[in-house]
Amino acid sequence: MSTSARNQLSGTVHAIVDGSATNESLEEMALSVGSEVTALFKASSVILATKKA
């Protein structure tokens, strides 16, 4: 797959939460726990937050 999107996060599906996607979408993309995925997003800014120990 080739894309011009610069903002990409790759990972593995660890859980699927009810309501996060339609059943049709899950079936169409063959998503299940263990699937390798890449999230592409476009944003003018991204803010990350962590809890301080």
Side-chain angles (χ1 to χ4, degrees):
M1 174 178 69
S2 180
T3 176
S4 63
R6 294 181 186 205
N7 300 316
Q8 301 178 25
L9 297 173
S10 296
T12 304
V13 175
H14 289 274
I16 297 175
V17 178
D18 286 342
S20 60
T22 64
N23 287 336
E24 182 180 348
S25 294
L26 295 173
E27 291 174 10
E28 186 176 306
M29 296 191 302
L31 283 177
S32 62
V33 172
S35 295
E36 296 292 323
V37 296
T38 301
L40 307 175
F41 56 97
K42 182 177 180 179
S44 57
S45 65
V46 175
I47 299 171
L48 299 177
T50 61
K51 293 183 181 179
K52 292 185 178 181

